[in-house]
């Protein structure tokens, strides 16, 4: 089941970055985010009602839902939607992949889990990969530049998302199921976005085109209901620092889609950076016991001559 949840998260989230591009246009991003999570919340809570799942929770738990919605289903997506106005979807997803390292740090701070040497080495190699991919942007870094703003927004969105992981982990540990918890958190996230959409959304309230409507439905149903459902279930089952392993592969999916649909052109530097990211995350994923066994594995001996084998048998 964990493997299925992992694959679903990678494939769906690897494609949502491109779908977000379809939301950028006449409708303000805050309105698009509100539509997305309002629709997803209706689907989840209606499903819970049909199945007869409990929907009543104390005010204290609703406070956790509000915090989770503010972190995971509003603020971070504002950052990502605006970041994609300056960067390709693949590059934004690569920054987001570093949530693996951030989740590990937060697991230490909030859940007292141990950070091992392989985590530090793997995280350092992954960060080197990020710097390699973005080296031209780092050389000319400045908040006035579009790429600089995109990097900063992506980094802030990743940090906020990881804080939301902490809240979700604590909520699930308290016994709140994923369906109800995610449904309420998405509803609160949509409500938090509504005032900003009303104030800043001076353009069209809705864009009735196939591109906008199709991407909205895909993001709500697959990217939010299915994708977040799979990821948050995985988070509750194996912990945030391990669930974030899904972030290792979906940037590759996003970059491949960006190559096809956004004319992203690979350079040797991009390939080297992605390779470093994969190597760094592979180090963090590696089983320490397996590494120790491989290190102690003896070299295979040369086969003995047939005569020696026969002599040994005779003895």
């Amino acid at each position: 089941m964990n493997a299925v949840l992992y694959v679903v998260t990678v494939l769906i989230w690897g494609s949502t970055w491109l779908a977000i591009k379809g939301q950028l246009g006449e409708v303000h991003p805050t309105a698009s985010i509100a539509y997305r999570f309002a629709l997803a919340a209706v689907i989840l809570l209606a499903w819970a009602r049909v199945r007869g799942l409990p929907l009543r929770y104390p005010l204290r738990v609703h406070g956790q839902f509000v915090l989770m919605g503010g972190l995971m289903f509003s603020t971070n997506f504002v950052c990502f939607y605006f970041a994609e106005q300056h960067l390709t979807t693949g590059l934004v997803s690569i920054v987001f992949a570093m949530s693996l390292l951030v989740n590990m740090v937060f697991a230490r701070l909030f859940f007292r889990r141990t950070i091992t040497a392989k985590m530090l080495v793997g995280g350092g190699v992954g960060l080197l990969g990020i710097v390699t991919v973005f080296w031209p942007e780092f050389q000319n870094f400045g908040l006035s530049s579009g790429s600089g703003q995109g990097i900063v927004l992506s980094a802030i969105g990743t940090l906020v998302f990881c804080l939301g992981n902490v809240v979700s982990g604590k909520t699930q540990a308290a016994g709140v199921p994923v369906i109800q918890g995610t449904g309420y958190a998405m509803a609160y996230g949509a409500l938090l976005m509504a005032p900003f959409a009303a104030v800043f959304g001076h353009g069209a309230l809705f864009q009735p085109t196939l591109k906008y409507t199709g991407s909205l439905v895909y993001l709500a149903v697959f990217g939010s209901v299915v994708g977040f459902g799979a990821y948050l279930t995985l988070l509750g089952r194996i912990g945030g620092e391990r669930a974030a392993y899904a972030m290792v592969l979906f940037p590759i999916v996003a970059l491949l889609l960006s190559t096809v649909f956004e004319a992203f052109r690979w350079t040797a530097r991009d390939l080297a950076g992605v390779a470093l990211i994969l190597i760094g995350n592979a180090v963090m994923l590696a089983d320490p016991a397996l590494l120790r066994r491989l290190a102690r594995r003896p070299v295979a001996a040369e086969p003995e001559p047939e005569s020696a084998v026969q002599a040994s048998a005779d003895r």
Side-chain angles (χ1 to χ4, degrees):
M1 178 58 69
N2 289 343
V4 172
L5 293 171
Y6 184 88
V7 171
V8 168
T9 302
V10 169
L11 293 180
I12 290 180
W13 279 7
S15 63
T16 54
W17 302 100
L18 187 63
I20 288 175
K21 279 286 188 183
Q23 297 283 280
L24 303 178
E26 299 179 14
V27 181
H28 197 270
T30 54
S32 296
I33 295 168
Y35 295 149
R36 170 182 177 175
F37 290 114
L39 178 57
V42 168
I43 294 172
L44 281 172
L45 295 178
W47 175 248
R49 172 68 69 183
V50 169
R51 293 184 57 191
L53 302 178
L55 291 172
R56 292 181 178 272
Y57 293 96
L59 191 61
R60 173 184 57 82
V61 177
H62 276 276
Q64 294 177 339
F65 294 155
V66 172
L67 181 58
M68 182 177 166
L71 293 171
M72 294 191 76
F73 305 123
S74 57
T75 305
N76 65 318
F77 277 97
V78 171
C79 295
F80 292 135
Y81 273 58
F82 279 103
E84 289 202 15
Q85 294 181 351
H86 306 290
L87 301 174
T88 64
T89 57
L91 296 181
V92 175
S93 69
I94 285 179
V95 178
F96 185 58
M98 294 313 296
S99 59
L100 173 59
L101 178 62
V102 179
N103 271 1
M104 289 183 175
V105 174
F106 284 174
R108 173 61 181 172
L109 293 176
F110 296 102
F111 297 100
R112 312 306 299 172
R113 292 175 181 153
T114 303
I115 298 178
T116 64
K118 76 182 184 72
M119 293 179 183
L120 294 176
V121 172
V125 174
L127 286 174
L128 180 61
I130 292 290
V131 173
T132 302
V133 172
F134 285 104
W135 183 244
E137 285 78 8
F138 283 122
Q139 283 184 309
N140 303 306
F141 182 77
L143 290 178
S144 59
S145 68
S147 59
Q149 293 176 23
I151 294 172
V152 171
L153 287 170
S154 299
I156 294 173
T158 300
L159 181 65
V160 172
F161 170 81
C162 292
L163 287 171
N165 278 217
V166 174
V167 178
S168 177
K170 289 184 176 294
T171 302
Q172 291 188 55
V176 178
V178 171
I179 292 178
Q180 297 96 305
T182 306
Y184 276 120
M186 287 181 174
Y188 286 122
L191 287 174
L192 289 171
M193 283 291 94
F196 293 97
V199 173
F200 297 109
H202 300 304
L205 293 176
F206 192 82
Q207 196 171 352
T209 62
L210 180 60
K211 179 181 179 182
Y212 182 85
T213 306
S215 60
L216 176 62
V217 172
Y218 182 83
L219 288 169
V221 176
F222 292 96
S224 301
V225 174
V226 180
F228 269 101
Y231 173 75
L232 294 177
T233 300
L234 198 61
L235 185 147
R237 291 167 65 100
I238 65 176
E241 71 276 23
R242 295 179 64 197
Y245 294 167
M247 314 307 174
V248 178
L249 292 179
F250 76 68
I252 308 304
V253 176
L255 280 175
L256 291 174
L257 291 174
S258 182
T259 302
V260 175
F261 295 102
E262 299 179 302
F264 178 79
R265 294 290 179 263
W266 291 79
T267 65
R269 188 193 69 255
D270 295 325
L271 292 171
V274 169
L276 287 171
I277 293 170
L278 292 176
I279 292 171
N281 283 285
V283 170
M284 286 192 280
L285 285 169
D287 182 0
L290 176 61
L291 292 178
R292 288 194 295 269
R293 287 197 299 272
L294 290 175
R296 294 196 299 266
R297 187 175 182 179
V299 178
E302 291 290 333
E304 295 186 41
E306 186 176 348
S307 57
V309 174
Q310 183 62 45
S312 176
D314 294 340
R315 287 197 297 273

